[in-house]
Amino acid sequence: MRVDSSLGLCFIGFGNVGQGLARILVRKERELAERWGFAFRTVAVVTRTRGAAVSRDGEGLSLAELLARVERGEPVGNEHISPVEAALLPQTDIVLDVTPTNLITGEPGLSLTRAALGSGRSVVSSNKGPVSLALAELKELARARGAHYRFEGSVMSGTPSLNLALESLAGCDVREVQGIVNGTTNYILTRMEEGFEYADALREAQEKGYAEADPAGDVDGWDAAVKAQILAAAVLGFPLPLDAVERTGIAAISRADVEAAAKRGKRIKLLAKVARTPDGVAASVAPAEIPLTHPLASVGGATNALTFTTDTLRDVTIIGPGAGREETGQALLSDMLAIAAAERNSARFSIKAG
Amino acid sequence: MRVDSSLGLCFIGFGNVGQGLARILVRKERELAERWGFAFRTVAVVTRTRGAAVSRDGEGLSLAELLARVERGEPVGNEHISPVEAALLPQTDIVLDVTPTNLITGEPGLSLTRAALGSGRSVVSSNKGPVSLALAELKELARARGAHYRFEGSVMSGTPSLNLALESLAGCDVREVQGIVNGTTNYILTRMEEGFEYADALREAQEKGYAEADPAGDVDGWDAAVKAQILAAAVLGFPLPLDAVERTGIAAISRADVEAAAKRGKRIKLLAKVARTPDGVAASVAPAEIPLTHPLASVGGATNALTFTTDTLRDVTIIGPGAGREETGQALLSDMLAIAAAERNSARFSIKAG
């Protein structure tokens, strides 16, 4: 039997982030209901390589059981159902797009997000692809159908960045955003300050699993460029194609450069920056020397940070983790709680009005 | 004629913060309506020494005109009306408590807030007194009457601190909060690092208007202690009496102490700290040596910062202005926009449901 006030969740993808979120939901289920008024049922979990599971009776799947199956190397289930079909199940209220980012096609996330929002279902995502390629379209679709599209996890994992700018700083005019949004390159630069050569620091980052075997996405600045693009579109309101972000990576930086900067009282950081201009917005990713007295200079290792330059508050800086399973799961959770709070306000009003 | 969807504002107090908010509202009126869906009318402005003005026709007062009157040294108006009477005018939707903080009685803010919330009107406040003395009671009153009570401006002015912890970090378990929440003492300590003796740095802070003629509220740590108390109650959920906050000020710190810390690679900061304990919560204000590599060490002058230690995200730090007319006005504005967004969700639902 369906619990009336609970929200039906549909996971599309169940890799690092999906499992991270599932672990949080299992651990906090009671606290989420009692403290945050958030009750959920898991309607379906659809994966690319681990099968699919669907709750046909409306009771909801056990996330603890699905996590245990994945741990044992078993598929989550044997259902034959596509991501879009699962998203459109009648009991789905929120679709969790935790599929891998594809910056060229946006798939499978983009079609999924279009279908879900088009049906009036909300989408919570950590997938940078659809945001990068189609934010304006998806926002308009959500608005028109009375659904929510939230993607806090696409920048700085669960450290509030988009929701900070759009909600906590509501009313402020954000004119510029700059910061450190790629943990891998920041880790490499931090190790170079500690005496490593670039190649050795990169190798270590690869061994620790921070950097991919092909590190270009990080060290050439692509990942930071997409995040700059998302900040330009979501915070400054100016969508840009990805190739409009000027981009220089860190591969040309030597230990000697890092040491020379240190002698000048500075640190080299890979800075992503978006700023309003008279014509729109300028976006760039490039190494920059930051004075040690600046808050961004103290951001070491895999930590991320963003400084929002505003009209009434001048600079507001947020520093926190930039990646991680549960860290990104927390981003998805905070977005779901915001949706639940909005729906609760609706329900409260409907009771008063009724 | 009343514009149906606009919110009626009642200013109680029209000093630095009230005027700061009024200036923002005048400057941004159109942007607030277009971008944030926030339309307002000013129902009344009641002051202690500058008279009172009430819009009897429902059109709303001109804030630009009231600011001009104050500028010319004139009263805002000649109405005879008490703060509570103004708060309870039929057209008041949101009461802005920008009266001065009284930590002993909480008045006039406390009675005003009780009356407004008790009547189902929302209260947005920068006044630390009522929050310090009666948060649990006021929250429950708001909940029972379907009203909102928000007070972002009581800590770190418009830099998101309470709303960051309670909304952007929703779902996180915040276990500890520590940081620099008093700009005056941080300014004095920063000047001492630059070579000033304590007495000279204090005199300069007084000349610049940062410190009061009687500086005890800042330098003895009372202001920081109240903010610790607000963080304990609002973020950790444990109300404490003010005298339960262990408190050491900065008056005993010499330039020699500051220099000795610098030789150890550290900076002395007045740290407010609240942390969960097995029995409840521990709260303190005391000078502490911070390593230069810590984000809080880079926070100089009148800037404030807070680090939230959480379960899923570990440390998240926010840095921004801690005081100022428009900076605190921005806090009140963001709280009003949150209320407007909640009410809009209600209205949206009622249309769909209707």
Side-chain angles (χ1 to χ4, degrees), chain A residues 311-312, chain B residues 20 22-31 326:
Chain A
D311 56 345
T312 37
Chain B
R23 271 175 212 182
I24 297 174
L25 291 174
V26 168
R27 199 166 65 231
K28 299 195 176 185
E29 182 164 3
R30 190 167 152 182
E31 181 193 338
E326 292 205 5

Side-chain angles (χ1 to χ4, degrees), chain A residues 28 171 311 314 317 319 327, chain B residues 28 171 311 314 317 319 327:
Chain A
K28 299 196 176 186
D311 56 345
R314 288 154 296 154
T317 297
I319 303 173
E327 288 82 350
Chain B
K28 299 195 176 185
D311 55 346
R314 288 154 297 153
T317 297
I319 303 173
E327 288 82 351

Side-chain angles (χ1 to χ4, degrees), chain B:
Chain B
M1 195 191 77
R2 175 166 173 172
V3 181
D4 270 334
S5 60
S6 75
L7 290 168
L9 310 185
C10 174
F11 284 70
I12 308 296
F14 206 63
N16 281 339
V17 174
Q19 291 173 43
L21 172 60
R23 271 175 212 182
I24 297 174
L25 291 174
V26 168
R27 199 166 65 231
K28 299 195 176 185
E29 182 164 3
R30 190 167 152 182
E31 181 193 338
L32 290 170
E34 289 176 359
R35 178 164 173 208
W36 302 96
F38 177 71
F40 66 92
R41 286 156 298 115
T42 306
V43 173
V45 173
V46 179
T47 79
R48 194 169 52 87
T49 57
R50 293 185 180 97
V54 177
S55 166
R56 296 288 176 188
D57 61 3
E59 287 277 3
L61 301 167
S62 160
L63 286 173
E65 171 59 22
L66 298 187
L67 286 167
R69 285 184 199 161
V70 169
E71 194 96 341
R72 293 193 300 263
E74 297 169 8
V76 295
N78 305 313
E79 296 274 350
H80 292 278
I81 188 168
S82 75
V84 169
E85 286 166 346
L88 299 184
L89 285 169
Q91 292 166 337
T92 298
D93 297 304
I94 298 179
V95 175
L96 297 158
D97 175 12
V98 286
T99 59
T101 292
N102 181 318
L103 294 177
I104 310 298
T105 66
E107 297 302 345
L110 184 52
S111 297
L112 173 71
T113 303
R114 281 193 181 117
L117 295 176
S119 75
R121 287 164 177 82
S122 292
V123 175
V124 170
S125 173
S126 59
N127 182 347
K128 296 185 284 293
V131 189
S132 166
L133 291 163
L135 177 58
E137 173 206 331
L138 297 173
K139 265 173 71 175
E140 174 51 27
L141 188 56
R143 195 200 57 72
R145 303 306 305 262
H148 303 263
Y149 180 44
R150 300 181 70 106
F151 41 90
E152 174 68 64
S154 64
V155 179
M156 281 181 84
S157 73
T159 304
S161 54
L162 305 173
N163 296 340
L164 177 75
L166 297 170
E167 290 166 12
S168 295
L169 289 173
C172 263
D173 187 26
V174 178
R175 289 161 178 186
E176 188 178 305
V177 190
Q178 65 172 329
I180 298 162
V181 291
N182 179 268
T184 306
T185 49
N186 203 48
Y187 178 83
I188 292 171
L189 291 169
T190 302
R191 292 301 269 165
M192 288 170 74
E193 282 173 31
E194 293 161 7
F196 280 63
E197 288 292 351
Y198 171 75
D200 298 326
L202 170 58
R203 193 170 317 115
E204 191 194 59
Q206 287 170 322
E207 283 163 11
K208 291 204 168 191
Y210 296 162
E212 307 284 323
D214 175 0
D218 292 317
V219 301
D220 291 347
W222 284 109
D223 175 69
V226 178
K227 289 167 179 167
Q229 188 197 19
I230 293 173
L231 290 164
V235 178
L236 302 186
F238 282 95
L240 283 176
L242 184 54
D243 59 13
V245 182
E246 284 185 46
R247 186 179 45 76
T248 308
I250 64 161
I253 294 175
S254 67
R255 202 177 79 185
D257 295 332
V258 170
E259 284 168 0
K263 280 192 190 130
R264 289 190 292 273
K266 296 187 171 178
R267 282 203 173 113
I268 298 178
K269 296 290 185 188
L270 184 66
L271 274 199
K273 182 171 171 176
V274 295
R276 289 250 180 83
T277 65
D279 315 319
V281 67
S284 62
V285 171
E289 290 192 4
I290 313 286
L292 284 179
T293 50
H294 192 281
L296 292 179
S298 69
V299 176
T303 303
N304 280 191
L306 280 174
T307 298
F308 297 86
T309 303
T310 72
D311 55 346
T312 36
L313 296 173
R314 288 154 297 153
D315 286 358
V316 172
T317 297
I318 185 129
I319 303 173
R325 290 180 170 211
E326 292 205 5
E327 288 82 351
T328 309
Q330 162 58 29
L332 296 157
L333 176 59
S334 73
D335 279 342
M336 288 197 289
L337 294 181
I339 292 171
E343 298 299 318
R344 211 162 42 241
N345 276 316
S346 309
R348 181 169 67 86
F349 188 86
S350 76
I351 291 162
K352 282 162 78 178

Side-chain angles (χ1 to χ4, degrees), chain A residues 148-314:
Chain A
H148 303 262
Y149 180 44
R150 299 181 70 106
F151 42 89
E152 175 66 63
S154 64
V155 179
M156 280 181 85
S157 74
T159 304
S161 54
L162 305 174
N163 295 340
L164 177 75
L166 297 170
E167 291 166 11
S168 295
L169 289 173
C172 263
D173 186 27
V174 178
R175 290 161 178 186
E176 188 178 306
V177 189
Q178 66 172 327
I180 298 162
V181 292
N182 179 267
T184 306
T185 49
N186 203 48
Y187 179 83
I188 292 171
L189 291 169
T190 301
R191 292 302 268 166
M192 287 170 74
E193 282 173 32
E194 293 161 7
F196 281 63
E197 288 293 351
Y198 171 76
D200 297 327
L202 171 58
R203 193 172 315 116
E204 191 194 60
Q206 287 171 322
E207 282 163 12
K208 290 204 168 191
Y210 296 162
E212 307 284 323
D214 175 1
D218 292 316
V219 301
D220 291 346
W222 285 108
D223 175 69
V226 178
K227 290 168 180 167
Q229 189 196 18
I230 293 173
L231 290 164
V235 178
L236 301 186
F238 283 94
L240 283 175
L242 183 54
D243 60 13
V245 182
E246 284 186 46
R247 187 179 45 76
T248 308
I250 64 163
I253 293 175
S254 67
R255 201 178 79 185
D257 296 332
V258 170
E259 285 168 0
K263 280 192 191 131
R264 289 190 291 272
K266 296 186 169 178
R267 283 203 172 112
I268 298 178
K269 297 290 185 189
L270 184 67
L271 276 199
K273 182 171 171 177
V274 295
R276 290 250 180 84
T277 65
D279 316 317
V281 67
S284 62
V285 171
E289 291 192 2
I290 312 285
L292 284 178
T293 50
H294 192 282
L296 293 179
S298 68
V299 175
T303 304
N304 281 192
L306 280 174
T307 298
F308 298 86
T309 302
T310 71
D311 56 345
T312 37
L313 296 172
R314 288 154 296 154

Side-chain angles (χ1 to χ4, degrees), chain A:
Chain A
M1 195 191 77
R2 174 165 174 173
V3 181
D4 271 334
S5 61
S6 74
L7 290 168
L9 310 185
C10 174
F11 285 69
I12 308 297
F14 206 63
N16 281 339
V17 174
Q19 290 173 44
L21 172 60
R23 269 174 215 185
I24 297 174
L25 290 174
V26 168
R27 199 167 65 231
K28 299 196 176 186
E29 182 164 2
R30 188 167 154 183
E31 182 194 337
L32 289 171
E34 289 176 358
R35 179 166 171 206
W36 303 95
F38 177 71
F40 65 93
R41 286 155 298 116
T42 306
V43 173
V45 173
V46 179
T47 79
R48 194 169 53 88
T49 58
R50 293 186 180 96
V54 176
S55 166
R56 296 288 176 189
D57 61 2
E59 286 277 3
L61 301 167
S62 160
L63 286 173
E65 171 59 23
L66 298 187
L67 286 166
R69 285 184 199 159
V70 170
E71 194 95 340
R72 293 193 300 265
E74 298 169 9
V76 296
N78 305 312
E79 297 274 350
H80 293 278
I81 188 167
S82 74
V84 169
E85 286 167 346
L88 299 183
L89 285 168
Q91 292 165 339
T92 297
D93 297 303
I94 299 179
V95 175
L96 297 158
D97 174 12
V98 286
T99 58
T101 292
N102 180 319
L103 294 178
I104 311 299
T105 66
E107 298 301 344
L110 184 52
S111 298
L112 173 70
T113 303
R114 281 193 181 118
L117 295 176
S119 75
R121 288 164 176 82
S122 291
V123 175
V124 170
S125 173
S126 59
N127 181 347
K128 295 185 285 292
V131 190
S132 166
L133 291 164
L135 177 58
E137 172 207 329
L138 298 172
K139 265 173 71 176
E140 174 51 28
L141 188 56
R143 196 200 57 72
R145 303 306 306 261
H148 303 262
Y149 180 44
R150 299 181 70 106
F151 42 89
E152 175 66 63
S154 64
V155 179
M156 280 181 85
S157 74
T159 304
S161 54
L162 305 174
N163 295 340
L164 177 75
L166 297 170
E167 291 166 11
S168 295
L169 289 173
C172 263
D173 186 27
V174 178
R175 290 161 178 186
E176 188 178 306
V177 189
Q178 66 172 327
I180 298 162
V181 292
N182 179 267
T184 306
T185 49
N186 203 48
Y187 179 83
I188 292 171
L189 291 169
T190 301
R191 292 302 268 166
M192 287 170 74
E193 282 173 32
E194 293 161 7
F196 281 63
E197 288 293 351
Y198 171 76
D200 297 327
L202 171 58
R203 193 172 315 116
E204 191 194 60
Q206 287 171 322
E207 282 163 12
K208 290 204 168 191
Y210 296 162
E212 307 284 323
D214 175 1
D218 292 316
V219 301
D220 291 346
W222 285 108
D223 175 69
V226 178
K227 290 168 180 167
Q229 189 196 18
I230 293 173
L231 290 164
V235 178
L236 301 186
F238 283 94
L240 283 175
L242 183 54
D243 60 13
V245 182
E246 284 186 46
R247 187 179 45 76
T248 308
I250 64 163
I253 293 175
S254 67
R255 201 178 79 185
D257 296 332
V258 170
E259 285 168 0
K263 280 192 191 131
R264 289 190 291 272
K266 296 186 169 178
R267 283 203 172 112
I268 298 178
K269 297 290 185 189
L270 184 67
L271 276 199
K273 182 171 171 177
V274 295
R276 290 250 180 84
T277 65
D279 316 317
V281 67
S284 62
V285 171
E289 291 192 2
I290 312 285
L292 284 178
T293 50
H294 192 282
L296 293 179
S298 68
V299 175
T303 304
N304 281 192
L306 280 174
T307 298
F308 298 86
T309 302
T310 71
D311 56 345
T312 37
L313 296 172
R314 288 154 296 154
D315 286 358
V316 172
T317 297
I318 185 129
I319 303 173
R325 290 180 170 211
E326 291 205 6
E327 288 82 350
T328 309
Q330 161 59 28
L332 296 157
L333 176 59
S334 73
D335 279 341
M336 288 196 289
L337 295 181
I339 292 172
E343 298 299 318
R344 210 162 43 242
N345 276 316
S346 309
R348 178 169 68 85
F349 187 86
S350 75
I351 290 163
K352 282 162 80 180

